[in-house]
């Protein structure tokens, strides 16, 4: 082969190799993606909003599941819009799944419907891990009733994925105490518990027990940060400090953040900024 032909062959080979490299998936940046109202069940409320970051992969992309509050009878994932926005900014390497669940009311969707929906949502997300390009490094975030459901999922179940950490914003943890000792002795609060469970602790002791996250804490429980206001009119701070005490006894990493004048979610901007700073740091430390 003469020099001209050899040079031509080398040039063609180099061009082919170059084309293969430039077209390889390793060099293609995966774009961020948002999917709204994705169904994880057949009920209209069994939906979630999904926010997938750019450049995600099954080895590096962490997962955050968000669960709204509303006393298990109201509320919507849209209530967590501010939480989603701040977490996307603070922890941009996370895929965020903001879920809805069936709400109790009129004698329907009583406990453990909401618990079952959260587990179903978790199973759906995990079942699509290869499609969403997410890892098995999960955290849960919940507020009020959503925090109760987040802690219940994290402490009670080890599948489909055991969360590395949980953030509870003023979440109930002991349903018997919630009924027997409502804040200020307010009978309306006790009646609200009766509405979602369908009976008193004396009538349904097993259901009250199985619906209480505090009863499932052990040495393998998820690291937990608990945030609570001292002026909360709906959930006593003791609902968080009881969790803290049991986690500490079980030698599980935990942090309790107390805002003396804070109410039930109606915190001012400075308080929320401090809360999110602490949650961000806690997740970075406990879901590396």
């Amino acid at each position: 082969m003469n020099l001209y032909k050899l040079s031509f062959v080398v040039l063609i080979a180099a061009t082919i190799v170059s084309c293969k490299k430039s077209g390889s998936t390793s060099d293609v940046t995966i774009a961020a993606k948002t999917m709204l109202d994705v169904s994880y069940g057949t009920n209209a409320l069994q939906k979630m909003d999904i926010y997938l970051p750019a450049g995600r992969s099954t080895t590096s992309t962490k997962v955050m599941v968000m669960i709204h509050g509303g006393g298990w009878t109201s509320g919507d994932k849209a209530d967590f819009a501010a939480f989603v926005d701040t977490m996307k900014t603070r922890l941009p390497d996370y895929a965020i799944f903001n879920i809805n669940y069936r709400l109790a009311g009129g004698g329907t969707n009583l406990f453990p419907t909401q618990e079952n929906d959260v587990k179903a949502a978790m199973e759906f997300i995990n079942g699509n891990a290869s499609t969403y390009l997410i890892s098995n490094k999960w955290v849960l975030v919940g507020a009020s009733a959503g925090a109760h459901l987040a802690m219940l999922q994290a402490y009670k179940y080890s599948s489909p994925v055991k969360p590395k950490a949980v953030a509870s914003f003023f979440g109930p943890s002991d349903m018997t105490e919630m009924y027997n000792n409502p804040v200020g002795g307010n009978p309306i609060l006790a009646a609200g518990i009766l509405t979602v469970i369908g009976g008193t602790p004396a009538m349904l002791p097993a259901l009250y027990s199985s619906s209480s996250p505090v009863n499932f804490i052990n040495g393998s429980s998820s690291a937990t940060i608990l945030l609570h206001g001292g002026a909360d009119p709906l959930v006593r701070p003791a609902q968080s400090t009881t969790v803290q005490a049991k986690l500490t006894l079980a030698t599980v990493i935990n942090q309790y953040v107390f805002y003396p004048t804070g109410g039930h979610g109606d915190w001012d901007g400075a308080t929320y900024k401090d809360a999110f700073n602490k949650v961000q740091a806690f997740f970075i430390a406990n879901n590396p």
Side-chain angles (χ1 to χ4, degrees):
M1 181 180 295
N2 62 35
L3 184 59
Y4 174 81
K5 288 184 178 179
L6 178 60
S7 299
F8 181 79
V9 171
V10 171
L11 177 61
I12 293 298
T15 302
I16 292 173
V17 171
S18 175
C19 288
K20 285 184 177 179
K21 285 184 177 180
S22 64
S24 65
T25 55
S26 61
D27 287 350
V28 177
T29 300
I30 298 173
K33 188 175 184 179
T34 296
M35 294 176 281
L36 304 179
D37 291 325
V38 176
S39 295
Y40 66 87
T42 58
N43 188 276
L45 284 173
Q46 293 174 313
K47 292 184 179 180
M48 65 178 73
D49 294 339
I50 303 173
Y51 305 88
L52 302 175
R56 58 193 177 277
S57 76
T58 55
T59 57
S60 64
T61 301
K62 301 167 188 177
V63 174
M64 182 182 301
V65 178
M66 291 188 165
I67 312 172
H68 71 81
W72 307 278
T73 63
S74 63
D76 186 85
K77 53 187 169 59
D79 300 339
F80 255 9
F83 277 48
V84 170
D85 288 343
T86 193
M87 286 305 187
K88 284 172 68 177
T89 300
R90 291 169 175 272
L91 298 168
D93 56 335
Y94 273 79
I96 297 176
F97 297 81
N98 185 21
I99 72 171
N100 268 351
Y101 49 88
R102 286 172 290 174
L103 303 172
T108 63
N109 297 332
L110 302 180
F111 277 16
T113 298
Q114 296 73 33
E115 173 188 338
N116 292 341
D117 278 4
V118 172
K119 191 168 192 300
M122 297 271 287
E123 290 171 346
F124 175 86
I125 296 167
N126 184 65
N128 287 280
S130 60
T131 300
Y132 297 144
L133 298 176
I134 55 175
S135 74
N136 62 355
K137 296 179 179 181
W138 293 33
V139 299
L140 305 183
V141 178
S144 193
H148 159 265
L149 295 171
M151 289 189 289
L152 191 61
Q153 173 68 38
Y155 303 157
K156 189 173 182 178
Y157 301 102
S158 58
S159 65
V161 173
K162 185 72 176 178
K164 305 293 184 183
V166 182
S168 167
F169 285 79
F170 38 86
S173 64
D174 186 327
M175 298 310 297
T176 300
E177 275 295 302
M178 285 288 291
Y179 180 86
N180 288 335
N181 296 298
V183 179
N186 189 342
I188 295 177
L189 298 181
I193 301 300
L194 189 70
T195 298
V196 299
I197 294 186
T200 67
M203 295 165 58
L204 300 168
L207 183 55
Y208 272 80
S209 178
S210 67
S211 300
S212 298
V214 73
N215 292 334
F216 298 94
I217 293 173
N218 56 48
S220 63
S221 292
S222 306
T224 305
I225 180 169
L226 305 134
L227 307 104
H228 219 115
D232 193 317
L234 301 179
V235 181
R236 293 181 183 277
Q239 291 285 320
S240 287
T241 56
T242 299
V243 172
Q244 180 200 27
K246 286 207 170 186
L247 289 170
T248 301
L249 186 64
T251 66
V252 175
I253 294 171
N254 67 85
Q255 181 179 355
Y256 176 57
V257 184
F258 181 65
Y259 299 109
T261 61
H264 191 75
D266 53 345
W267 300 348
D268 59 28
T271 301
Y272 266 118
K273 181 178 180 180
D274 181 76
F276 283 122
N277 284 344
K278 288 180 167 61
V279 170
Q280 178 184 359
F282 192 85
F283 284 168
I284 289 172
N286 294 287
N287 190 30

